[in-house]
Amino acid sequence: MSLEQSELSSFAEGLYPEELLYWRRMGSTEISNYINSTPEDKRLILIPWGVLEAHGPYLSVATDSVFAQVATDKVAYLLYKEHGIQPIIFNSFIDI
């Protein structure tokens, strides 16, 4: 059974909320707009960093990276809601 488009959209929204800016989802125009429209003192890039290492036979080697991503998303959300700062989250191993 396939997922309906609305179900996929809801799932994606839960993973990547609209109020958070993820580097991997931004085009060059969006990045330029961010730089041009955001005051210098509110420009911020968050880089989650977690070690890739073995955690025994039952946990992923990316466990620390997943925790780092969750913490970064929380920090970005709080910065946005409480201080009006909307950082870009540089969230991809491919980007590094």
Side-chain angles (χ1 to χ4, degrees):
M1 175 177 240
S2 64
L3 292 173
E4 297 291 323
Q5 185 62 38
S6 62
E7 291 175 305
L8 290 173
S9 295
S10 293
F11 179 74
E13 177 63 26
L15 289 176
Y16 300 109
E18 288 298 317
E19 61 269 15
L20 301 183
L21 302 176
Y22 294 94
W23 175 270
R24 67 168 38 163
R25 297 182 65 198
M26 298 174 77
S28 58
T29 301
E30 291 170 299
I31 293 169
S32 293
N33 290 344
Y34 174 84
I35 291 169
N36 293 329
S37 66
T38 305
E40 268 188 50
D41 64 332
K42 293 194 180 241
R43 291 183 203 155
L44 181 64
I45 295 178
L46 299 177
I47 303 173
W49 192 259
V51 178
L52 292 176
E53 63 182 353
H55 286 282
Y58 304 106
L59 291 175
S60 163
V61 295
T63 298
D64 295 333
S65 297
V66 171
F67 288 151
Q69 183 63 57
V70 169
T72 302
D73 287 357
K74 181 68 172 181
V75 167
Y77 181 80
L78 291 173
L79 283 170
Y80 177 67
K81 289 297 184 185
E82 295 179 10
H83 302 285
I85 297 172
Q86 193 173 27
I88 292 175
I89 301 170
F90 191 83
N91 67 327
S92 174
F93 292 114
I94 298 168
D95 297 331
I96 295 175

